[in-house]
Amino acid sequence: MRLVIARCSVDYAGRLTAHLPSAPRLILVKADGSVSIHADDRAYKPLNWMSPPCTLKEGTGDEAGVWTVVNKAGEKLIITMEEILHDSSHELGVDPGLIKDGVEAHLQELLADRIETLGEGYTLIRREYMTAIGPVDILCRDADGRTVAVEIKRRGEIDGVEQLTRYLDLLNRDPHLAPVRGIFAAQEIKPQARVLATDRGIDCHVLDYDALRGIEDDKLRLF
């Protein structure tokens, strides 16, 4: 991860345009290629950002101090540096991922055991399918044999959709799995998260925790 604190202005050109006037800001450049600009407020939310896959080009010569970030849709995030106050890079390594609370962990276990809840003909590949950026909750196949990545939350919010989007981008680079589509599964899915998921071609599935727990287990078990 690269951390840059700089006095800068930021312009976004894409489906809409936006401008951040000159001010001191924190710029995060992550290993996945994402770039985000932060102020010293707003908690964790950036002022502006570009999600991967995208490319960062640092200008030279007459363009020195101008960073241009372009995504696959051709949208641009242009950062004009006036003064760099700090610039450092840090190797964070592979993150072990979020440790889920008991409900989310149990939802994952129940859904893996009853994967047909997602649809007739679904089959489980495995739980906690490890990737370079963390484990996918469930990897399975649908009735047509297509690979499906499932992200499970107790409460489905935008952050969960973003997390699944990163997993899908990575999984679709694997020719043995691609094409991979996503399902965002939660007990409750916020309207904003549903809109974002739909925009990205991700299906949403509301989980009934009590129903999953109450299904009589007719599977043969040794113990």
Side-chain angles (χ1 to χ4, degrees), residues 16 40 117 129:
L16 48 79
D40 200 10
T117 300
Y129 184 88

Side-chain angles (χ1 to χ4, degrees), residues 128-198:
E128 298 288 332
Y129 184 88
M130 186 56 66
T131 74
I133 58 174
V136 177
D137 287 337
I138 289 178
L139 199 68
C140 58
R141 295 193 187 279
D142 63 17
D144 297 320
R146 295 174 298 183
T147 310
V148 182
V150 185
E151 180 63 26
I152 299 171
K153 299 292 184 187
R154 182 173 59 176
R155 177 178 296 175
E157 301 190 33
I158 284 177
D159 286 352
V161 178
E162 294 284 6
Q163 183 180 359
L164 179 54
T165 299
R166 293 192 292 270
Y167 287 143
L168 289 172
D169 177 66
L170 194 62
L171 291 169
N172 273 300
R173 300 178 195 177
D174 186 339
H176 299 293
L177 297 175
V180 185
R181 65 183 184 87
I183 293 179
F184 189 52
Q187 288 180 275
E188 174 191 3
I189 299 177
K190 295 294 185 180
Q192 300 91 332
R194 187 179 291 275
V195 169
L196 182 61
T198 301

